[in-house]
Structures are given as structure tokens and as C-alpha cells.
């Protein structure tokens, strides 16, 4: 039985405002954030500072940041029970990042594979911010003394360097930072591309038919699923060499709660056309409450601003505790 006096663990989740999340992001992570917030003290951040590495258009960044903040609230995350904020509203992130830059070795930062990958993709804009991205991410996490951080496979290396930085700082200056662990919660579905089911669904895919945005119009969702790649067997069953159907069955199972065996029974003797219609209807129904709430929130700019201000104040109070401790330990003269 849970001890009511036991302090709850802290989880930090951050998401960049670089575009609307896909249905794959929703099933794989976002859908589980609400239940996660019931068991942990959660902070949810819109990581707009990280987005500056790709030099976005200023008006686009402002709009997308506000939209992403509304998306977090529309997921059902309660701003009274959770701290939901925008990263750039809490100045301690940038301040701690500089101090941590001075506790990070050039060699370990240069080994980050994401920096190498993005440098190759965008050779015209290999900026210092892109190089120091993992150190800012470390500041995001360590500021709040987070116990856990939900991460994807592509962020595993960044959490490792965060732990290395924290351990080095603690060794030099004394116990200051909690060493964060990866969050292992409910595992969401790994949703694959609708056009190339051997690869994950991604909003950066040049083919818009390959992914579903969580804000796509219902008719667009139906069209995309109807055009999804399948196979020539025309039998709804989960199996080897049936990557397209396997993917659609996985999506349908997540939306309806039905097992693969039950899905196979329900569609025995029916073709892929019938199954795709059912999958499309299930996805539309799954997203309906979220989209309705998002539509309400995005049109209430005053409420969004009020929530963002309160979230920044709450986050700032926690962040200042850690930053003050770090400044004192590193010898910075404090007023």
C-alpha cells in the first residue's frame, strides 16, 4: 500500500514546438502523459529554446509555441495539478546551461550522434547552439531535480551525458543534483508510416500521406488511412511480411482495446477496404475529445496566457532553488 506521506517522484517531459505531433507520437507517448501525471509530480515544458537551433521564422515559432501549449492542456493535463510551462519563460534554464557548459568536456559533447546527423542534414547552419543542445537539455532536467525523464531511443545519449555532467558536478562541488533515470512507464504503440511501414511514422516525412497529424481534419484522416500500404493477400491477420496490415491492426487495437485475435475474427471474410474504414473511424473517434478541447483552448488566448504565466511562476520558484545552490557552490558572488 502506498504511504500517503511518501514524497512523489518528479518527472520532467519536454516537447519542441517544431510541428504538430503525429498520431504515432500520441499513441506512443502523449496519450500516457495524463495517467503518468496521476502517479508522479510532473512538469511539462514546451522547449522553445531548443527550436532556435534551426532558425525558425519568428512569427511561426510564436504561433507553434502557443499551439503546443494548447495541445498539452487539451490532452487533459491539469494545470493546477501539474506544472505546465514554456521553457523560455523560465530564465534559469539558460543560466544553468552556461554553468553546465563549463562542466562539460568538448570531447564528450562532440560525440553526440544527433549533432553529427543534424550537421550533415543542415551543413549551411551548423551553429554552436546545435552543438550545446544536450547541455541545455541537461539544464532542463537538473533544474527540477527530476527523478525520471521519458525519452525515446534518439534521446538516450542525451540523458547519459546529463547523468555524466551531474555526477561530475557533484564530485567537484558536493552533492547538488539528483541523478535522473529514464522513465519506464506504460509502453505505447510504435506506429509505423502508412506508406512505408518499415519506418516509424514521422512528421518530417516528405510524403504527407505517410503520417496522421493529431489535428488533421476527419476527412483527411480517412483518406490517409484508405491510401495506406497493405499487401496482396487481402486477409486481415497479423503475420510476417504483412507490415502494412500489422501496423493498421496495431493502431486499431490501441484505439478499441481489441486483441489481434479478436480483430482477425471480426474481419474474417472481409476485405482490406472494410478494415481500413473501421480503422479510420476508430482513429477519428479516439482523437475527437482531444480535438474538441484543443479547438476551445486555442480560441481562448487569455486563458492560455494565464496558464502559461502561472506555470512559469511555479517552475521558476523550483528552478531558482537549484540555480541559487549551483551559483553558491561554484563561487559566483550572490547579492
Amino acid at each position: 500500500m502506498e504511504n500517503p506521506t511518501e514524497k512523489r517522484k518528479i518527472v520532467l517531459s519536454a516537447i519542441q514546438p517544431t510541428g504538430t505531433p503525429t498520431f504515432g507520437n500520441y499513441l506512443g507517448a502523449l496519450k500516457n502523459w495524463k495517467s503518468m501525471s496521476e502517479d508522479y509530480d510532473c512538469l511539462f515544458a514546451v522547449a522553445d529554446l531548443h527550436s532556435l537551433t534551426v532558425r525558425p521564422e519568428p512569427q511561426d515559432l510564436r504561433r507553434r509555441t502557443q499551439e503546443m501549449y494548447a495541445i498539452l492542456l487539451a490532452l487533459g493535463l491539469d494545470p493546477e495539478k501539474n506544472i505546465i510551462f514554456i521553457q523560455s519563460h523560465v530564465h534559469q534554464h539558460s543560466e544553468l546551461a552556461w554553468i553546465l557548459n563549463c562542466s562539460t568536456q568538448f570531447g564528450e559533447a562532440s560525440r553526440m550522434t544527433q549533432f553529427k546527423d543534424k550537421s550533415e542534414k543542415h551543413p549551411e547552419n551548423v551553429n554552436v547552439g546545435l552543438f550545446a543542445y544536450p547541455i541545455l537539455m541537461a539544464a532542463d532536467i537538473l533544474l527540477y531535480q527530476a527523478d525520471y525523464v521519458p525519452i525515446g531511443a534518439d534521446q538516450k545519449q542525451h540523458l547519459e551525458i546529463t547523468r555524466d555532467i551531474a555526477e561530475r558536478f557533484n564530485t567537484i562541488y558536493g552533492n547538488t543534483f539528483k541523478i535522473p533515470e529514464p522513465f519506464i512507464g506504460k509502453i505505447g504503440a510504435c506506429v509505423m508510416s502508412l506508406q512505408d511501414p518499415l519506418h516509424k511514422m514521422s512528421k518530417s516525412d516528405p510524403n504527407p500521406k505517410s503520417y496522421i497529424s493529431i489535428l488533421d481534419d476527419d476527412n483527411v484522416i480517412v483518406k490517409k488511412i484508405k491510401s495506406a500500404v497493405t499487401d496482396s493477400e487481402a486477409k486481415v491477420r497479423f503475420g510476417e511480411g504483412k507490415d502494412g496490415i500489422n501496423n493498421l491492426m496495431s493502431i486499431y487495437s490501441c484505439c478499441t482495446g481489441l486483441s489481434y485475435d479478436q480483430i482477425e475474427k471480426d474481419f474474417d471474410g472481409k476485405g482490406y477496404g472494410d478494415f481500413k474504414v473501421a480503422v479510420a473511424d476508430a482513429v477519428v473517434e479516439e482523437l475527437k475529445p482531444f480535438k474538441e478541447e484543443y479547438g476551445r483552448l486555442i480560441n481562448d488566448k487569455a486563458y492560455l496566457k494565464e496558464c502559461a504565466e502561472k506555470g512559469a511562476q511555479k517552475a521558476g520558484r523550483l528552478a531558482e532553488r537549484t540555480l541559487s545552490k549551483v551559483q553558491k557552490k561554484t563561487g559566483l558572488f550572490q547579492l
Side-chain angles (χ1 to χ4, degrees):
M1 186 175 174
E2 187 179 344
N3 184 349
T5 62
E6 188 177 335
K7 193 173 179 183
R8 299 208 309 177
K9 298 290 187 181
I10 298 169
V11 180
L12 174 83
S13 304
I15 186 167
Q16 281 197 58
T18 49
T20 306
T22 68
F23 193 60
N25 300 137
Y26 172 83
L27 288 183
L30 302 180
K31 185 180 179 182
N32 298 326
W33 282 5
K34 185 178 179 182
S35 59
M36 180 178 76
S37 71
E38 292 166 3
D39 299 322
Y40 300 90
D41 284 340
C42 292
L43 298 102
F44 298 98
V46 179
D48 54 340
L49 291 174
H50 285 286
S51 299
L52 294 176
T53 60
V54 294
R55 202 180 297 145
E57 288 291 330
Q59 64 270 26
D60 287 345
L61 179 58
R62 273 189 289 271
R63 174 182 55 79
R64 289 201 306 264
T65 298
Q66 195 171 50
E67 288 173 352
M68 187 59 73
Y69 192 83
I71 284 171
L72 292 180
L73 296 181
L75 290 169
L77 301 175
D78 187 339
E80 296 299 323
K81 295 179 181 177
N82 305 282
I83 299 178
I84 308 172
F85 67 102
I86 294 168
Q87 182 190 28
S88 63
H89 293 172
V90 183
H91 62 83
Q92 290 89 347
H93 286 254
S94 300
E95 293 178 50
L96 181 59
W98 171 252
I99 296 172
L100 296 184
N101 276 330
C102 301
S103 291
T104 306
Q105 299 303 301
F106 185 86
E108 64 186 343
S110 64
R111 287 193 291 273
M112 295 291 102
T113 54
Q114 199 172 75
F115 170 71
K116 295 174 184 176
D117 293 343
K118 291 196 173 182
S119 298
E120 289 174 4
K121 287 181 182 176
H122 304 283
E124 76 291 346
N125 185 24
V126 184
N127 56 72
V128 175
L130 188 62
F131 183 78
Y133 179 106
I135 294 90
L136 177 57
M137 184 175 169
D140 299 338
I141 298 165
L142 299 177
L143 261 181
Y144 301 103
Q145 305 293 347
D147 294 283
Y148 301 114
V149 186
I151 54 167
D154 59 335
Q155 296 290 333
K156 185 180 177 186
Q157 201 180 27
H158 288 170
L159 184 59
E160 288 172 358
I161 196 174
T162 297
R163 289 169 56 85
D164 290 343
I165 293 168
E167 287 170 352
R168 180 182 299 118
F169 192 98
N170 288 351
T171 299
I172 296 171
Y173 296 106
N175 190 34
T176 308
F177 296 121
K178 194 177 287 181
I179 308 301
E181 300 281 348
F183 179 79
I184 310 297
K186 182 180 177 183
I187 299 173
C190 182
V191 180
M192 311 306 282
S193 162
L194 296 176
Q195 295 298 313
D196 182 5
L198 293 176
H199 294 91
K200 277 181 72 173
M201 182 178 285
S202 170
K203 63 190 174 190
S204 61
D205 195 308
N207 184 355
K209 289 184 177 181
S210 69
Y211 61 89
I212 296 167
S213 161
I214 58 173
L215 293 177
D216 273 344
D217 182 79
D218 291 353
N219 291 329
V220 172
I221 292 173
V222 171
K223 285 179 182 176
K224 286 182 178 180
I225 291 177
K226 281 185 175 179
S227 69
V229 168
T230 52
D231 55 70
S232 58
E233 188 187 27
K235 184 176 176 61
V236 178
R237 68 175 182 85
F238 197 93
E240 191 175 340
K242 295 177 67 66
D243 302 298
I245 284 297
N246 292 349
N247 189 36
L248 292 178
M249 287 182 70
S250 175
I251 292 171
Y252 190 64
S253 175
C254 286
C255 293
T256 63
L258 297 173
S259 68
Y260 290 161
D261 285 346
Q262 186 61 51
I263 294 169
E264 288 178 11
K265 287 177 185 174
D266 290 348
F267 289 90
D268 185 33
K270 296 181 182 178
Y272 289 163
D274 289 335
F275 183 53
K276 285 182 176 181
V277 169
V279 175
D281 288 345
V283 172
V284 167
E285 197 61 29
E286 172 71 30
L287 289 174
K288 186 177 179 181
F290 160 77
K291 286 166 66 176
E292 287 178 351
E293 182 66 0
Y294 174 83
R296 184 185 71 79
L297 288 166
I298 201 63
N299 289 309
D300 192 347
K301 298 294 192 289
Y303 177 71
L304 289 177
K305 187 181 180 206
E306 179 189 343
C307 286
E309 286 175 348
K310 287 181 179 177
Q313 288 167 5
K314 291 178 188 175
R317 283 194 291 271
L318 290 178
E320 188 55 36
R321 284 185 212 162
T322 299
L323 183 64
S324 294
K325 190 188 294 185
V326 168
Q327 290 171 331
K328 185 177 180 181
K329 291 198 171 193
T330 51
L332 295 175
F333 181 73
Q334 293 176 290
L335 296 174

